[in-house]
């Protein structure tokens, strides 16, 4: 995994309290990792904090999986 | 009206986690007060509090992870965690965990808190100021709202009946139990999980209550001596944290399922002082009328009271006003009445106080023993009423009354009776 992916993974594990092996790029926050709609809002805030970027609401709505987050953040910070 | 009995008990207190562990320490006259070590206190006039012994769950310590997942704890203030823990104990004790929809809709929750998530509000305020609105967590509001204690408990157990919360400062716990009992008596529910919870031990609460001159300030070096109701050296209350929850149940419902019955809730009184925002009315009229109403509803006379669990917070004014009101209501029967303040040991749990004290009154009925008023060395007034000084005593208790009075001049009294079929 890339550096961005590792950092995303760490945040997801911490916020959702899930096992590391479940946090694959394909994993959906809601379907696979037990998040609810509020959890996903908080996750996006944590990504913003960690990467020092702003994720607009319309973009946040498209971040459904760990991979979506990694892709967005790699682009935003790259 | 339908009769209401207590069929489950749960508590997390500064003495211990759990009803029996707390009760044992209470009867031993132990104090939960200690120096505050979790935040800066050197610039506060009061530097002590009664705090829950946290640990791995052994020896009466409280391990929140045993009740709420760590990732969920992070989203809520401690008062919600305490409520879930105490409610879990109470529900398991009662054995009432219905899976049938018809049973669930007849089971409700009514848990109050005096203040709610004040620490979380302060923290979110800093976040808003320092980092802006986009950093305010989506869990900020639901983690602080007082009725979310009831919300979480209802979600955990599928209790779909009345879902309510009380906010009446230090009368909260008693009002919650009284109101919940009414909901059952009036046939709005068959079972209610009811009580109070509070997590006030934080810097802003201590600063705020100290500003009201409500807290003890002369015993920072001897914390366990600070809460001393009726003693002439008392100088304010000692803040405490925790929760007390009972399962209330309609009598026939409890009998039908063979539930263990601790006691019956037979009386509930409420009144307002209409006097001052923080000070109790000097004539004790509000307290008197409150007890009078509860006794009338209970259908017993003041002379029938075996035990009174006092509000008795250890403030210079309040203790004697309450004692005066109790003396007035019991009249010539004073010599037969015992009244203790368990706040001498637990501290003042504010919105949870009335709930844990209703539980202590229930246990006094169950075990025939009265918890003491510790640190009572030199009573500030003479009274014929037995204040159970310093040492627990055996006494058969058929009828007990528990008082709670709060800021705003709000009063509540509960009357409980041994269940006799």
């Amino acid at each position: 995994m890339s550096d961005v992916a590792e950092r995303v993974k760490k945040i997801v594990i911490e916020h959702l309290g899930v096992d590391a092996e479940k946090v694959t790029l394909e994993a959906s926050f809601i379907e696979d990792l037990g998040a609810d709609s509020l959890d996903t809002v908080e996750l996006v805030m944590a990504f913003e904090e960690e990467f020092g970027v702003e994720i607009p609401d319309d973009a946040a709505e498209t971040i459904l999986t760990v991979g979506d987050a990694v892709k967005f953040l790699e682009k935003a910070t790259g | 009206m339908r009769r209401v009995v207590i069929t489950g008990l749960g508590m997390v207190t500064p003495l211990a986690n759990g009803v029996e562990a707390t009760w044992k320490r209470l009867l031993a006259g132990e104090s939960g007060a200690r120096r505050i070590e979790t935040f800066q206190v050197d610039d506060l006039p009061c530097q002590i509090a009664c705090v829950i012994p946290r640990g791995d769950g052994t020896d009466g310590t409280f391990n929140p992870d045993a009740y709420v997942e760590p990732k969920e704890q992070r989203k809520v203030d401690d008062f919600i965690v305490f409520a879930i823990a105490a409610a879990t104990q109470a529900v398991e004790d009662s054995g009432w965990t219905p899976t049938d929809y018809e049973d669930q809709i007849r089971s409700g929750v009514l848990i109050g808190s005096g203040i709610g998530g004040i620490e979380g509000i302060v923290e979110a305020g800093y976040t808003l100021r320092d980092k802006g609105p986009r950093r305010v967590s989506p869990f900020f509001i639901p983690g602080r709202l007082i009725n979310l204690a009831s919300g979480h408990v209802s979600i955990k157990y599928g209790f779909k009946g009345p879902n309510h919360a009380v906010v009446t400062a230090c009368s909260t716990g008693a009002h919650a139990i009284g109101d919940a009992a009414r909901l059952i008596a009036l046939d709005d529910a068959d079972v209610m999980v009811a009580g109070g919870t509070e997590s006030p031990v934080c810097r802003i609460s201590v600063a705020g209550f100290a500003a009201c001159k409500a807290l003890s300030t002369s015993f920072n070096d001897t914390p366990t001596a600070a809460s001393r109701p009726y003693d002439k050296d008392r100088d304010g209350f000692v803040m405490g944290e925790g929760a007390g929850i009972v399962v209330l149940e309609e009598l026939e419902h409890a009998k039908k399922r063979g539930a263990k019955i601790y006691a019956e809730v037979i009386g509930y009184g409420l009144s307002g002082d209409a006097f001052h925002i923080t000070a109790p009315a000097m004539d004790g009229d509000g307290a008197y009328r409150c007890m009078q109403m509860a006794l009338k509803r209970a259908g017993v006379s003041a002379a029938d009271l075996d035990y009174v669990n006092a509000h008795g917070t250890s403030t210079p004014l309040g203790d004697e006003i309450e004692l005066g009101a109790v003396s007035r209501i019991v009249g010539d029967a004073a010599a037969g009445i015992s009244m203790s303040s368990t706040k001498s040991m637990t501290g003042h749990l504010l919105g949870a106080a009335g709930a844990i004290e209703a539980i202590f009154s229930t246990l006094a009925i169950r075990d025939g023993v009265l918890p003491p008023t510790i640190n009572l060395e030199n009573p500030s007034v003479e009274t014929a009423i037995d204040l159970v000084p310093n040492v627990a005593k055996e006494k058969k208790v058929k009828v007990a009354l528990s008082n709670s009075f709060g800021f705003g001049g709000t009063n509540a009294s509960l009357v409980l009776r041994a269940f006799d079929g």
Side-chain angles (χ1 to χ4, degrees):
Chain A
M1 274 192 180
S2 67
D3 169 55
V4 169
E6 287 299 335
R7 286 157 73 192
V8 165
K9 191 174 167 181
K10 191 166 167 251
I11 288 169
V12 171
I13 292 168
E14 191 183 305
H15 280 261
L16 300 183
V18 290
D19 294 333
E21 57 265 30
K22 283 191 173 171
V23 188
T24 60
L25 289 175
E26 295 74 32
S28 154
F29 298 124
I30 291 176
E31 303 295 327
D32 303 317
L33 302 177
D36 64 17
S37 59
L38 297 181
D39 287 315
T40 60
V41 173
E42 199 184 45
L43 268 180
V44 166
M45 287 173 54
F47 295 147
E48 289 185 329
E49 183 93 7
E50 168 72 17
F51 293 93
V53 298
E54 190 168 310
I55 305 175
D57 286 352
D58 55 347
E61 280 166 20
T62 67
I63 299 177
L64 304 175
T65 66
V66 175
D68 292 340
V70 171
K71 206 189 299 174
F72 180 92
L73 291 163
E74 278 178 341
K75 203 170 156 193
T77 56
Chain B
M1 288 223 288
R2 308 196 315 159
R3 292 169 70 182
V4 181
V5 292
I6 299 171
T7 58
L9 306 174
M11 58 168 55
V12 186
T13 76
L15 293 179
N17 177 45
V19 171
E20 301 306 331
T22 296
W23 184 232
K24 196 174 156 209
R25 288 180 182 166
L26 197 77
L27 294 181
E30 292 180 28
S31 167
R34 64 202 75 173
R35 219 180 145 74
I36 294 168
E37 288 170 351
T38 47
F39 53 88
Q40 186 194 347
V41 291
D42 59 355
D43 55 354
L44 292 167
C46 173
Q47 303 172 355
I48 60 173
C50 289
V51 294
I52 292 168
R54 288 161 172 84
D56 62 4
T58 58
D59 194 30
T61 57
F62 176 59
N63 176 12
D65 299 357
Y67 300 97
V68 184
E69 281 185 53
K71 77 176 171 86
E72 298 301 322
Q73 288 173 39
R74 200 173 49 77
K75 300 172 183 173
V76 299
D77 259 65
D78 277 350
F79 80 99
I80 291 176
V81 176
F82 301 158
I84 295 171
T88 301
Q89 295 170 18
V91 169
E92 286 177 4
D93 184 38
S94 77
W96 181 247
T97 51
T99 51
D100 185 71
Y101 176 79
E102 296 301 326
D103 288 331
Q104 289 179 334
I105 62 171
R106 297 289 296 170
S107 306
V109 188
L110 204 172
I111 299 169
S113 180
I115 309 176
I118 189 167
E119 189 167 22
I121 293 172
V122 170
E123 293 300 324
Y126 290 146
T127 300
L128 178 65
R129 185 191 63 193
D130 299 337
K131 296 181 175 178
R134 288 184 61 85
R135 288 289 173 272
V136 174
S137 166
F139 298 108
F140 163 55
I141 298 292
R144 266 76 256 164
L145 295 180
I146 283 176
N147 72 296
L148 263 283
S150 291
H152 277 278
V153 171
S154 75
I155 292 164
K156 176 166 181 172
Y157 288 105
F159 292 150
K160 300 183 172 79
N163 197 270
H164 198 0
V166 167
V167 182
T168 50
C170 305
S171 298
T172 297
H175 274 137
I177 292 172
D179 288 355
R182 289 251 156 111
L183 290 173
I184 295 172
L186 295 170
D187 203 11
D188 294 316
D190 291 327
V191 178
M192 290 295 296
V193 178
T197 183
E198 202 77 66
S199 55
V201 185
C202 61
R203 199 163 143 77
I204 193 167
S205 282
V206 175
F209 279 102
C212 294
K213 305 292 179 199
L215 298 178
S216 170
T217 57
S218 305
F219 295 89
N220 288 332
D221 297 324
T222 51
T224 60
S227 186
R228 44 194 317 114
Y230 318 114
D231 188 84
K232 70 174 178 49
D233 292 329
R234 70 183 183 277
D235 71 334
F237 75 76
V238 178
M239 197 184 276
E241 61 178 356
I245 307 281
V246 298
V247 174
L248 300 173
E249 191 163 349
E250 192 272 325
L251 175 60
E252 296 308 320
H253 189 275
K255 276 184 175 172
K256 202 171 152 194
R257 67 182 188 93
K260 162 182 57 189
I261 295 174
Y262 286 97
E264 182 172 359
V265 181
I266 58 170
Y268 174 39
L270 319 78
S271 72
D273 280 357
F275 174 69
H276 187 265
I277 53 171
T278 59
M282 293 305 290
D283 59 7
D285 178 60
Y288 176 84
R289 286 183 292 106
C290 185
M291 290 185 276
Q292 189 181 47
M293 184 191 288
L295 290 168
K296 185 182 172 196
R297 174 67 64 186
V300 299
S301 76
D304 294 326
L305 293 174
D306 301 301
Y307 174 61
V308 176
N309 187 297
H311 183 57
T313 60
S314 190
T315 56
L317 277 179
D319 290 5
E320 283 178 32
I321 293 172
E322 180 185 15
L323 186 56
V326 173
S327 300
R328 186 179 153 210
I329 206 156
V330 301
D332 294 340
I337 311 281
S338 297
M339 171 164 107
S340 66
S341 169
T342 44
K343 290 188 181 78
S344 59
M345 297 168 280
T346 62
H348 190 358
L349 273 65
L350 309 177
I356 66 165
E357 288 158 18
I359 294 173
F360 296 149
S361 301
T362 301
L363 296 172
I365 289 170
R366 183 191 70 176
D367 293 348
V369 58
L370 309 181
T373 304
I374 67 164
N375 297 316
L376 182 48
E377 289 159 6
N378 301 294
S380 63
V381 287
E382 278 189 33
T383 175
I385 294 171
D386 165 32
L387 296 175
V388 200
N390 304 311
V391 184
K393 66 187 283 184
E394 289 187 12
K395 180 177 181 181
K396 187 170 163 51
V397 180
K398 189 166 180 234
V399 182
L401 180 147
S402 183
N403 275 334
S404 296
F405 311 133
F407 278 3
T410 174
N411 310 303
S413 300
L414 294 168
V415 181
L416 309 175
R417 184 169 60 196
F419 179 67
D420 54 6

